Amino acid sequence: MNELVRRHTALSETDLEWLHLLVSEWQLLADLSFADLVLWVPTVDGARYVSVAQMRPNTGPTSYQDDMVGHTVPRGRRPMLDAALDEGRIVREGDPEWREEVPVRIESIPVRRESRVLGVIARNTNLLTVRTPSRLELTYLQSASDLAQMIAAGAFPYPGQQGDTETSPRVGDGLIRLDAEGIVQYASPNALSAYHRLGQAADLVGRHLGQATSELAVSKEPVDEALVKLASGWAPREAEVEGNGGVIQLRAIPLKPRGTRIGSLVLLRDVTEIRRRERELMTKDATIREIHHRVKNNLQTVAALLRLQSRRLAAEDPDGRARAALDEAVRRVGSIAIVHETLSQNLDETVEFDEIADRVVAMVAEINPGRVTGRRTGRFGVLKAEVATPLSMVLTEVLQNALEHGFGPGESGRVEVTALRSSGRQDNRLLVTVQDDGRGLPEGFDPATSGSLGLQIVRTLVEGELAGTFSMARAPEGGTRVVFDIPVQPEKR
């Protein structure tokens, strides 16, 4: 719609925003009317109309088999559009049209914003299945007529009161029509079933909906005036009511077809099962986070025991090799603990790995504090837990190897971790480079045959668990460059 409006019309951005508000709400009008809606806007030169949006009803058959968005018609071909645009009134005159042997009744509703008519809604009703209307259908049609008059007067939609179109109640979920005092005039069968779920035994017709709802609400506190007003239809709001083990979602729409409130529509939906499942998921999420928290605590306890053992080896380990081995183990355990700590704070099994990488760099830099600096460039992005845990260990091993073997006692330098996240139509990969400016690899060193435990861990994790590739070589500008390339799933934003 944005592209069509900006390319073909003279409407401002504020006008376009009003059309977006209308389109976000007009499924309600289509369902109440049992009709297709097409929004026509005049072009810059005023010689044509362009269709910028279309909506089909959920409550009846469509009258358009094809998509009308983007079609244009010259001014004069559809006189009802011209009359609605020029006169700013709803136009219903004219005989039904026949489309592919289907009679279609056409009406034109001007779309007004403040004092200007921005476009026209063509309401097209398939008459092939017309029969004697029931009480429900009559209520739908009367409510649709009231909404159409509000659109023509610029009083609908209500700015700032749009709900989530995916979760808000719809016409078929349940509908209640109130008079100006909030008394129920009509309640659809689905609406009655939803209130019966809350514990309403008697019929709703003739009762004040706000008072009836407040009596059913689970709260034992004094009557919530906001809930009473909402259920009475005084303001365009949404809320949930819980009682008797059931939960219903309410949405109130005041009806002011001639500027004065004549009543309200209340759409409602039984969301009891949805909320029950959400609570179960929240309980499971909390359990998973608690497990990660306990794993992190256990790993930190193991690390503390290893540190304690390392300090006790001072007298028995004159060359410090045993202590160094224990310190390496502490860092390996610590890198896994960092991942579990991050997972314990998330609602899903994914982590933002940039923070973990920064903490691993800082932890490993403690080997040579103050002389060798480490930094990260690029983004790792969001990774799943099964990728983040082995990747943190790989990063720890590579960094630890660079600081221990790339720099001698008292030497200074830097280690840089670069992450490049690539995404293609069929391939999503993470390329990580760890490069230092130290002394480089010794002559004849072959990482593929090295017996180092750290390199064995790296190769096993990268090539086996992460299904990636690993390479280690002397950097052209000096120092050592380690590159590992692993497949990852696309980020969810």
Side-chain angles (χ1 to χ4, degrees):
M1 186 167 73
N2 288 348
E3 182 181 352
L4 289 170
V5 168
R6 289 166 181 158
R7 183 195 303 171
H8 296 286
T9 77
L11 298 181
S12 66
E13 291 298 316
T14 309
D15 294 333
L16 178 57
E17 181 62 28
W18 182 260
L19 294 184
H20 274 293
L21 291 175
L22 174 65
V23 169
S24 69
E25 294 283 15
W26 70 343
Q27 180 72 65
L28 174 64
L29 178 61
D31 290 346
L32 290 172
S33 304
F34 308 98
D36 290 78
L37 306 178
V38 180
L39 177 57
W40 297 93
V41 181
T43 56
V44 175
D45 56 9
R48 295 173 298 153
Y49 298 96
V50 58
S51 170
V52 299
Q54 178 180 0
M55 179 59 66
R56 291 182 171 90
N58 292 320
T59 53
T62 183
S63 57
Y64 282 114
Q65 299 301 323
D66 299 326
D67 188 357
M68 295 296 297
V69 175
H71 286 213
T72 60
V73 295
R75 185 178 173 88
R77 178 171 296 180
R78 299 190 177 181
M80 296 176 68
L81 291 181
D82 299 338
L85 182 69
D86 297 339
E87 302 172 21
R89 65 180 180 88
I90 298 176
V91 180
R92 296 190 175 93
E93 300 88 357
D95 298 326
E97 292 184 3
W98 287 83
R99 298 176 185 165
E100 299 179 357
E101 300 183 354
V102 175
V104 177
R105 183 176 63 240
I106 299 177
E107 302 166 87
S108 295
I109 305 168
V111 177
R112 186 182 299 275
R113 175 179 170 265
E114 297 176 348
S115 59
R116 297 171 52 240
V117 177
L118 307 182
V120 179
I121 295 176
R123 181 164 56 176
N124 305 271
T125 306
N126 186 326
L127 299 178
L128 195 61
T129 59
V130 170
R131 60 187 185 279
T132 303
S134 64
R135 177 73 185 280
L136 180 144
E137 292 169 333
L138 289 173
T139 303
Y140 277 19
L141 293 172
Q142 179 58 53
S143 302
S145 176
D146 294 335
L147 283 178
Q149 292 183 52
M150 292 170 64
I151 292 173
F156 187 83
Y158 293 100
Q161 298 298 329
Q162 281 63 45
D164 187 342
T165 56
E166 295 296 326
T167 61
S168 291
R170 296 191 176 189
V171 170
D173 295 328
L175 177 142
I176 296 176
R177 173 82 185 222
L178 307 179
D179 65 11
E181 303 301 322
I183 306 300
V184 177
Q185 294 180 313
Y186 175 79
S188 71
N190 285 346
L192 290 174
S193 297
Y195 264 83
H196 290 164
R197 188 74 174 262
L198 291 182
Q200 174 70 30
D203 193 2
L204 281 173
V205 176
R207 293 206 60 188
H208 189 280
L209 187 64
Q211 294 177 359
T213 304
S214 64
E215 293 171 1
L216 297 172
V218 73
S219 175
K220 302 302 182 182
E221 300 174 1
V223 175
D224 186 347
E225 293 185 3
L227 177 61
V228 173
K229 287 186 177 181
L230 182 143
S232 302
W234 286 96
R237 302 275 172 79
E238 285 194 21
E240 285 190 2
V241 181
E242 183 172 358
N244 194 40
V247 184
I248 62 172
Q249 186 178 9
L250 299 177
R251 182 188 178 195
I253 304 171
L255 298 176
K256 303 175 182 179
R258 297 173 184 82
T260 303
R261 181 174 170 275
I262 63 168
S264 306
L265 282 181
V266 177
L267 304 181
L268 60 148
R269 180 186 180 195
D270 186 346
V271 294
T272 305
E273 194 63 21
I274 295 175
R275 296 297 175 260
R276 184 186 66 80
R277 292 177 181 176
E278 287 178 351
R279 293 189 186 104
E280 287 182 354
L281 288 174
M282 290 175 63
T283 302
K284 291 178 180 178
D285 288 339
T287 302
I288 292 172
R289 291 199 300 273
E290 178 62 22
I291 290 172
H292 285 303
H293 181 70
R294 293 189 182 188
V295 170
K296 183 263 296 183
N297 288 344
N298 291 340
L299 290 172
Q300 289 180 339
T301 301
V302 171
L305 291 174
L306 291 174
R307 291 192 193 95
L308 180 61
Q309 186 67 42
S310 175
R311 287 194 292 269
R312 287 179 174 269
L313 285 175
E316 305 172 12
D317 183 35
D319 58 359
R321 295 179 63 184
R323 294 190 64 187
L326 287 175
D327 290 341
E328 285 186 12
V330 168
R331 282 186 285 274
R332 288 167 183 154
V333 172
S335 65
I336 302 174
I338 290 173
V339 177
H340 283 281
E341 181 181 3
T342 306
L343 288 169
S344 70
Q345 300 168 2
N346 291 345
L347 293 176
D348 52 16
E349 290 290 289
T350 61
V351 295
E352 180 66 55
F353 198 81
D354 294 333
E355 179 185 352
I356 293 175
D358 293 339
R359 293 177 64 179
V360 168
V361 170
M363 178 182 67
V364 177
E366 295 175 358
I367 299 173
N368 198 343
R371 294 187 177 274
V372 179
T373 59
R375 70 165 186 162
R376 170 187 60 86
T377 59
R379 277 193 75 245
F380 286 86
V382 177
L383 299 176
K384 299 187 71 174
E386 54 262 34
V387 174
T389 302
L391 182 58
S392 68
M393 284 200 65
V394 169
L395 195 58
T396 300
E397 294 297 333
V398 173
L399 287 169
Q400 185 169 293
N401 188 70
L403 270 66
E404 283 186 349
H405 303 293
F407 305 93
E411 292 182 353
S412 60
R414 64 181 178 80
V415 179
E416 184 169 355
V417 179
T418 304
L420 178 62
R421 187 79 174 259
S422 64
S423 60
R425 184 169 296 179
Q426 298 179 349
D427 195 15
N428 296 273
R429 305 193 70 84
L430 175 63
L431 182 68
V432 182
T433 303
V434 181
Q435 183 165 334
D436 64 69
D437 58 357
R439 65 185 68 170
L441 296 175
E443 291 295 333
F445 180 81
D446 184 2
T449 60
S450 170
S452 166
L453 175 62
L455 288 180
Q456 290 180 11
I457 292 174
V458 170
R459 280 198 302 271
T460 300
L461 292 177
V462 172
E463 298 174 357
E465 190 162 346
L466 296 175
T469 60
F470 165 75
S471 65
M472 184 178 188
R474 182 184 293 270
E477 59 271 30
T480 303
R481 176 182 295 167
V482 178
V483 179
F484 41 97
D485 184 0
I486 61 175
V488 293
Q489 289 191 353
E491 288 190 75
K492 293 182 179 180
R493 299 191 182 279

